[in-house]
Amino acid sequence: MSTLPRTPQSAETPATGTARVKRGMAEQLKGGVIMDVVDAEQAKIAEDAGAVAVMALERVPADIRKDGGVARMSDPNMIEEIIEAVSIPVMAKSRIGHFVEAQVLQSLGVDYIDESEVLTPADEVNHSDKFAFTTPFVCGATNLGEALRRIAEGAAMIRSKGEAGTGNVVEAVRHLRQIKNEIARLRGYDNNELYAAAKDLRAPYELVKEVAELGKLPVVLFSAGGVATPADAALMRQLGAEGVFVGSGIFKSGDPAKRAAAIVKATTFYDDPKIIADASRNLGEAMVGINCDTLPEAERYANRGW
Amino acid sequence: MTDTPVIGVLALQGDVREHLIALASADALARPVRRPEELAEVDGLVIPGGESTTMSKLAVLFGMMEPLRERVAAGLPVYGTCAGMILLADKILDPRAGQETVGGIDMIVRRNAFGRQNESFEAAVDVDGVPGGPVEGVFIRAPWVESVGARAEVLAVHGGHIVAVRQGNVMATSFHPELTGDHRVHAFFTDMVRAVG
């Protein structure tokens, strides 16, 4: 594709893959919506609706749930078709701990790798060493300790896990509130207490101290898992998410193009109920939701990763 | 105008917070701008980094495109970084269907010219008019300027490509000074805003 050359055209040797470049990339996505897409056509619909990036995957989480079996990295052909089809950034998922899938995704030139609990974990002890890559990683978290462990492994962006493929925002709310509450609590600690806090959080002291000083994660925090409506997206933003991933919620609904544009609007004007109301009109059918309290433990993706 | 100009940051999408912090440390009164009535109240404006296609769509959708064009045409000082540079270009080399710009600088910009995220990089860049030596340039899926018209002044070049431009009160950089903690470029722009007042 002519607009996106794969090799740098600069004559000088620049520093690539630095923390600043990786984290800075996520900063550019803030205030935006990242949409799951399974083919080039959906990717174009997402781009036209104003998505800031797309997540290329073979099946949206709702279908992964339905189909069962082992969920893996997508076919490289399909990822490349999506890269060719749009000019916005393209993300793709690797299994937790499957660093070879991540190597493959990097070689394809994806802009971000999601080491995702939505796919079947490949390693029940270790996540991938994300410092080993030029391509930045986003990882899911259910609480602050988990977020900081991922950042310690090199994640350049964090998202709530939520419960993907349910169309039910309750778990995303739980995770985001948990992370925000734990950060707020750290703010009130004095230096003596931060060492014990790091032990309790099972996270490196330096990161815990940094969060206590900043009052936020040192990387961008998005929400993911269960957003299905414009109001869901705005809710996550008002709760402190800097942007929103929408998975099954768009392309499992009645009118994907319209719903996608509506969720983008509500994400930008998340604090303006009139605009959210207008965005919510006549969207057709939302995806059918799943009640998370009836979901068996084994089918809870948020429990994957540690 | 006072020494503390009000500088807005277009807050449709992108790294708004970092620009607000950088402007505040350059002694400007910084505030987010999403609506025409908010735009009417600022002495200067920053268009942040983000996704240029998304930003341009949202600007049209929420009735900001025309007010932005009017104020830029009327001499409002504006600074755009990365996606902001694309929005300030009179012409995009390879736009997406329907991708509009605010314009303001007589230049042709190539989107994502330095490559995808794996090619994103940091490098020292000398910027004309910014004192104290080169600034740290953070280039993220960055555009470059293919060519400029007679009225536009090139402020910086990297690897043979134009990466910073100024035309009158409008300036643009391919890179992101707001991500570095070095706020000299924002101070330079804030001085521009003061000079107009």
Side-chain angles (χ1 to χ4, degrees):
Chain A
M1 182 160 159
S2 60
T3 54
L4 297 177
R6 296 277 168 81
T7 49
Q9 301 186 359
S10 161
E12 295 165 36
T13 46
T16 58
T18 61
R20 201 185 259 167
V21 160
K22 289 176 170 178
R23 293 177 179 189
M25 163 80 206
E27 303 285 354
Q28 308 313 313
L29 303 173
K30 284 192 299 192
V33 182
I34 300 169
M35 302 181 190
D36 278 4
V37 297
V38 302
D39 56 34
E41 191 191 341
Q42 288 188 356
K44 281 186 198 149
I45 291 172
E47 184 177 49
D48 287 342
V52 288
V54 290
M55 177 75 69
L57 73 178
E58 242 159 31
R59 291 176 291 171
V60 295
D63 286 334
I64 293 174
R65 276 189 193 282
K66 206 166 65 188
D67 299 350
V70 175
R72 311 178 178 90
M73 175 189 80
S74 298
D75 185 325
N77 273 347
M78 171 270 201
I79 293 169
E80 280 178 346
E81 279 167 24
I82 289 173
I83 288 176
E84 298 294 316
V86 295
S87 74
I88 54 177
V90 176
M91 302 184 166
K93 291 182 193 289
S94 78
R95 281 179 265 179
I96 289 173
H98 204 315
F99 51 86
V100 174
E101 284 188 349
Q103 290 164 5
V104 170
L105 294 175
Q106 172 165 284
S107 80
L108 296 175
V110 304
D111 296 293
Y112 241 89
I113 298 168
D114 183 3
E115 188 181 24
S116 177
E117 70 283 359
V118 169
L119 305 184
T120 310
D123 188 324
E124 293 188 329
V125 179
N126 307 293
H127 285 247
S128 296
D129 168 17
K130 292 164 273 289
F131 288 111
F133 293 81
T134 305
T135 310
F137 277 72
V138 54
C139 289
T142 60
N143 57 50
L144 180 59
E146 199 176 1
L148 296 182
R149 287 193 291 280
R150 296 296 84 77
I151 295 168
E153 295 157 1
M157 179 180 186
I158 295 292
R159 55 171 176 78
S160 67
K161 283 183 174 172
E163 199 51 54
T166 61
N168 187 339
V169 80
V170 65
E171 293 300 310
V173 168
R174 187 196 315 283
H175 300 159
L176 205 66
R177 277 203 187 278
Q178 179 72 25
I179 291 169
K180 301 301 272 189
N181 286 346
E182 287 176 300
I183 291 173
R185 228 177 300 155
L186 280 189
R187 294 282 274 173
Y189 287 176
D190 66 30
N191 279 341
N192 299 296
E193 293 169 308
L194 287 178
Y195 295 96
K199 199 177 76 180
D200 289 343
L201 288 167
R202 294 188 291 129
Y205 166 76
E206 288 71 23
L207 276 176
V208 172
K209 190 166 166 24
E210 192 179 355
V211 170
E213 282 165 3
L214 288 173
K216 65 184 282 299
L217 293 180
V219 303
V220 168
L221 173 64
F222 266 48
S223 151
V227 168
T229 68
D232 287 349
L235 172 67
M236 299 319 294
R237 291 278 278 129
Q238 287 200 29
L239 287 173
E242 297 179 283
V244 182
F245 285 87
V246 186
S248 321
I250 289 172
F251 289 100
K252 281 286 157 188
S253 74
D255 188 343
K258 197 168 175 192
R259 184 166 294 265
I263 290 177
V264 168
K265 273 189 224 173
T267 302
T268 304
F269 285 89
Y270 63 94
D271 54 357
D272 188 329
K274 277 200 175 129
I275 292 179
I276 302 167
D278 281 340
S280 305
R281 288 177 210 278
N282 298 318
L283 289 182
E285 232 165 291
M287 72 178 282
V288 180
I290 296 174
N291 285 320
C292 293
D293 49 5
T294 59
L295 204 60
E297 276 303 300
E299 290 176 27
R300 287 177 179 254
Y301 297 159
N303 293 342
R304 297 169 169 178
W306 28 88
Chain B
M1 183 179 307
T2 64
D3 279 350
T4 314
V6 178
I7 301 184
V9 179
L10 187 66
L12 296 171
Q13 190 271 314
D15 65 343
V16 176
R17 177 179 173 273
E18 288 61 34
H19 277 291
L20 292 172
I21 292 169
L23 288 167
S25 70
D27 292 328
L29 197 59
R31 54 170 72 152
V33 166
R34 282 184 298 175
R35 299 174 174 85
E37 57 270 28
E38 292 162 351
L39 177 65
E41 289 172 0
V42 299
D43 306 315
L45 182 75
V46 167
I47 304 183
E51 274 308 307
S52 64
T53 49
T54 307
M55 239 186 263
S56 122
K57 280 190 181 97
L58 289 170
V60 173
L61 197 60
F62 291 104
M64 285 295 282
M65 195 55 99
E66 277 314 312
L68 281 167
R69 285 177 181 144
E70 282 164 21
R71 284 222 65 186
V72 173
L76 180 75
V78 186
Y79 170 37
T81 62
C82 196
M85 169 185 259
I86 295 168
L87 264 91
L88 291 174
D90 283 349
K91 189 160 184 255
I92 304 173
L93 193 67
D94 184 14
R96 299 302 288 181
Q99 183 173 6
E100 294 187 38
T101 70
V102 175
I105 300 180
D106 181 9
M107 62 178 174
I108 300 173
V109 164
R110 183 190 286 272
R111 297 183 308 141
N112 306 123
F114 284 103
R116 302 189 67 87
Q117 175 60 14
N118 286 344
E119 285 84 54
S120 293
F121 65 97
E122 292 181 48
V125 181
D126 268 310
V127 184
D128 242 12
V130 175
V135 301
E136 297 166 271
V138 182
F139 295 79
I140 296 175
R141 290 171 47 95
W144 69 49
V145 179
E146 286 281 328
S147 61
V148 293
R151 289 172 298 157
E153 175 193 357
V154 174
L155 298 182
V157 171
H158 177 78
H161 301 288
I162 300 168
V163 294
V165 175
R166 176 179 178 175
Q167 179 175 319
N169 294 327
V170 185
M171 66 180 273
T173 61
S174 301
F175 50 93
H176 296 274
E178 75 278 10
L179 295 178
T180 63
D182 174 351
H183 301 139
R184 282 178 293 153
V185 178
H186 287 80
F188 177 75
F189 174 64
T190 304
D191 283 341
M192 259 171 68
V193 178
R194 286 193 188 101
V196 169

